[in-house]
Amino acid sequence: MEPKVEHSDGFLLPGGHDSLTRGVARAVPGSVHALALGGGYAVGPRDGRTVYFGRNRPLVHVCVGEDDQQVSRRHGELTHRHGRWWLRNTGRRPIRLPRSQWLFAEDGAIPLTEGYTPLHLPGSRDREHLLEVYVTGLDGDQRRSRHDADTDPPRPYALTPDEKLMLVALGRNYLLREPNPKPLTWKEAALWLAELQPDAGWTAKKLEHRVGAVRDRLSRRGVPGLTRDEVGEPVGNALNDNLLRELVRSTALVPTDLELLG
């Protein structure tokens, strides 16, 4: 049986603590804050330091889903090594990350970026338990108001006319504002493109190759979730789903682009 955890290295966050979406008070660079409904824990960086979270309060630093037996006693852990905090799932059920990505126990640990990351632990009867995580940046992350600052514009990615057309065809469901959109299959999108450009030689294989090139280009620019190593197996639609969501979010694709499909 796992030993009880000690909290002496860090400090407890009380229940009712402000959401970490607002940032954190000035802290040691590289610190991690983890917060659930009943409270949380914050600790500074040190190689090998681990923060446990799960259902069994004596065995974890942050108790989450205390009354829900679908949450494991120790469902996951945050470990500091090589200058970063790494998230690992040690529970029976997956953890949902931003961009609808799932982390399973067999996936191993993944690094967390600086700033805010919400984690959702699925529970019983469609419940989900939120664990907020905040990794402090090098400046200590003391946030200040920017009431009068210019609004940062979205960063639309440069797409050639052919790339835009094929991505609109592949992602038409996203531009139609469907509640849970999915990419078209390679075959479906290629048939659509072949009708629009009968002399362009569109095939499912050609479309897959061209879309893969766009994913590689954006991945090199730092867009996450566009490679098999990041997503893990089975890949399914995840790579194209992440690509299309990023293009819509950045306004590289907008609903009026549907006019390209006639």
Side-chain angles (χ1 to χ4, degrees):
M1 183 175 177
E2 296 96 339
K4 292 183 178 180
V5 300
E6 299 291 335
H7 294 83
S8 55
D9 289 336
F11 61 92
L12 295 171
L13 306 176
H17 189 280
D18 286 344
S19 169
L20 300 184
T21 55
R22 304 175 182 177
V24 299
R26 182 168 292 280
V28 175
S31 299
V32 69
H33 289 61
L35 180 67
L37 186 64
Y41 184 63
V43 70
R46 190 178 70 192
D47 219 39
R49 179 168 279 166
T50 300
V51 176
Y52 299 101
F53 60 89
R55 171 170 50 92
N56 193 326
R57 187 175 293 275
L59 300 182
V60 296
H61 296 92
V62 184
C63 185
V64 55
E66 189 168 18
D67 63 341
D68 194 334
Q69 289 180 243
Q70 293 292 321
V71 178
S72 295
R73 295 177 179 88
R74 271 192 180 174
H75 204 103
E77 60 189 35
L78 304 167
T79 301
H80 190 270
R81 65 173 187 270
H82 307 308
R84 302 187 72 174
W85 286 97
W86 295 73
L87 168 68
R88 188 163 76 95
N89 184 349
T90 58
R92 292 179 177 270
R93 304 192 75 185
I95 298 171
R96 182 165 65 84
L97 290 83
R99 301 175 185 269
S100 300
Q101 293 182 328
W102 292 91
L103 179 67
F104 293 84
E106 57 268 25
D107 290 338
I110 62 171
L112 292 176
T113 58
E114 291 182 2
Y116 180 77
T117 302
L119 307 177
H120 292 87
L121 281 60
S124 57
R125 298 184 301 278
D126 295 326
R127 296 174 67 189
E128 277 199 333
H129 305 279
L130 173 64
L131 177 69
E132 298 182 86
V133 179
Y134 197 98
V135 177
T136 307
L138 295 178
D139 60 357
D141 278 6
Q142 183 63 47
R143 293 195 171 186
R144 50 192 174 83
S145 63
R146 295 179 171 87
H147 300 154
D148 298 323
D150 292 336
T151 302
D152 290 336
R155 52 170 191 172
Y157 303 98
L159 300 171
T160 67
D162 273 356
E163 287 174 342
K164 174 165 279 195
L165 177 65
M166 71 183 186
L167 290 164
V168 170
L170 187 69
R172 65 181 296 272
N173 295 333
Y174 297 77
L175 301 177
L176 288 171
R177 303 180 180 89
E178 292 190 1
N180 292 296
K182 295 289 186 292
L184 267 63
T185 66
W186 298 123
K187 183 177 180 180
E188 290 170 335
L191 286 173
W192 203 313
L193 291 168
E195 288 187 20
L196 293 169
Q197 296 181 332
D199 298 327
W202 285 107
T203 64
K205 203 67 180 176
K206 176 180 178 179
L207 177 61
E208 183 177 0
H209 176 75
R210 294 286 302 275
V211 172
V214 175
R215 284 202 311 264
D216 290 344
R217 189 168 78 234
L218 268 61
S219 178
R220 290 194 297 271
R221 287 189 57 179
V223 178
L226 300 184
T227 66
R228 286 180 175 270
D229 289 343
E230 293 173 285
V231 171
E233 298 292 345
V235 172
N237 283 329
L239 297 179
N240 285 342
D241 180 64
N242 292 340
L243 171 65
L244 292 165
R245 290 182 186 277
E246 176 64 21
L247 292 174
V248 171
R249 183 183 299 111
S250 69
T251 69
L253 297 181
V254 295
T256 54
D257 289 332
L258 288 169
E259 296 172 2
L260 297 173
L261 303 181

